[in-house]
Amino acid sequence: MHNATAAAEHGGRRRAAVLGSPIAHSLSPVLHRAAYEELGLTGWTYDRFEVDEAALPGFLGGLGSEWAGLSLTMPLKRAVIPLLDEVSETAASVEAVNTVVFEADGRRVGDNTDIPGIVGALREHGIEQVDSAAILGAGATASSALAALARICTGEVVVYVRNEARAAEMRQWGERLDIEVRTADWADATRALHAPLVIATTPAGATDALSGAVPERPATLFDVLYHPWPTDLAARWSAYGGAVVSGLDLLVHQAVLQVEQMTGRVPGPLGAMRRAGEKALADR
């Protein structure tokens, strides 16, 4: 409860924020502010700042003791690591930090809540374990997806990628995370749709061409996008009766873990945060 002590020192005033570039469309302020409201943390504020790799050391160096923590998005998740005093095993496993908590003694501790966020979002939809899975794409989210699957998948993960360099990278992540990874060409991506769990980590529009190949009885699709929603693939998947986990599910689950770490209040208000996120997306 170090942050409760710190809050008392600052007359209840505490600060947190999300950093990244670009940052204007981040939903993090909506989610975190909803949590503070629900928890009655009236002195807490949560902002967003446009910060790139070059500006990050200076930004961190200028923060006062009223700061509780930071959420980090692209391109800062790796750049922040050398600037921290400690990095959790989870974050180190994928060389990506999305959460920084400032301890009472000033130490900066980095963690990754995307990985348990993926696991939590799947669990909420009744998926505790799968015997195999497929990942579409090999971008930044794919390594976090792989790390999450290392916790819940008992067999092989097939990753569908567009080029051999990315394929080699994903196989290396598999070795590091101790999970069986096979890579396949993006041209064969329709095969992925028959897996018990499909995680789409691609940018908007990338999976649209696959939607016509959704099987008659699809299993579970986890699509990390949330705006615009649903994607063509998610819409078709739902229409065929498959379970769909959305990017908003991931966003809310990773954010609630951040709120818990920064405020020391457990459990965080998942429901209130999701409602705030849904409303913000509807308003867009």
Side-chain angles (χ1 to χ4, degrees):
M1 290 296 286
H2 60 273
N3 278 322
T5 320
E9 283 171 25
H10 296 282
R13 186 169 166 267
R14 297 290 273 151
R15 295 191 69 182
V18 60
L19 315 182
S21 184
I23 202 65
H25 281 78
S26 172
L27 270 184
S28 294
V30 169
L31 302 179
H32 285 255
R33 289 167 187 167
Y36 299 163
E37 192 176 345
E38 188 74 9
L39 294 168
L41 298 172
T42 51
W44 284 66
T45 57
Y46 189 101
D47 303 294
R48 63 162 75 92
F49 293 97
E50 180 87 19
V51 177
D52 61 12
E53 295 108 317
L56 184 61
F59 185 92
L60 282 176
L63 299 182
S65 59
E66 75 279 10
W67 281 83
L70 297 169
S71 311
L72 300 177
T73 180
M74 301 310 290
L76 306 177
K77 293 183 180 186
R78 188 169 288 184
V80 76
I81 293 174
L83 307 172
L84 301 174
D85 298 298
E86 187 186 323
V87 173
S88 73
E89 207 175 303
T90 303
S93 75
V94 289
E95 293 174 20
V97 164
N98 77 331
T99 309
V100 177
V101 173
F102 301 109
E103 300 287 354
D105 58 7
R107 291 170 71 256
R108 305 166 177 170
V109 180
D111 193 16
N112 183 310
T113 64
D114 287 329
I115 294 164
I118 291 169
V119 174
L122 286 167
R123 184 176 294 135
E124 192 183 16
H125 284 77
I127 292 148
E128 304 273 346
Q129 195 178 68
V130 288
D131 54 14
S132 64
I135 295 177
L136 297 170
T141 316
S143 52
S144 290
L146 210 49
L149 288 171
R151 301 180 178 192
I152 65 162
C153 181
T154 56
E156 181 184 68
V157 178
V158 186
V159 186
Y160 291 82
V161 293
R162 291 183 191 277
N163 65 62
E164 182 46 45
R166 283 287 171 88
E169 204 175 275
M170 292 309 289
R171 290 193 294 269
Q172 282 174 344
W173 280 120
E175 282 172 28
R176 278 189 57 168
L177 296 161
D178 197 24
I179 183 167
E180 192 186 338
V181 170
R182 179 163 66 82
T183 53
D185 194 275
W186 184 263
D188 298 323
T190 54
R191 291 183 188 170
L193 309 183
H194 296 269
L197 171 61
V198 182
I199 304 183
T201 69
T202 45
T207 60
D208 289 359
L210 303 178
S211 60
V214 173
E216 268 181 32
R217 284 201 280 279
T220 300
L221 171 69
F222 194 152
D223 195 324
V224 303
L225 295 171
Y226 59 84
H227 185 70
W229 184 262
T231 60
D232 284 4
L233 183 61
R236 180 68 64 97
W237 202 274
S238 290
Y240 280 27
V244 175
V245 186
S246 75
L248 183 62
D249 290 320
L250 168 56
L251 209 60
V252 171
H253 274 271
Q254 63 81 29
V256 79
L257 295 168
Q258 292 184 334
V259 167
E260 289 173 358
Q261 289 191 29
M262 292 178 198
T263 67
R265 301 281 286 274
V266 180
L270 187 75
M273 293 169 73
R274 173 177 278 121
R275 288 190 294 276
E278 286 169 349
K279 183 182 182 305
L281 288 176
D283 291 347
R284 281 185 186 176

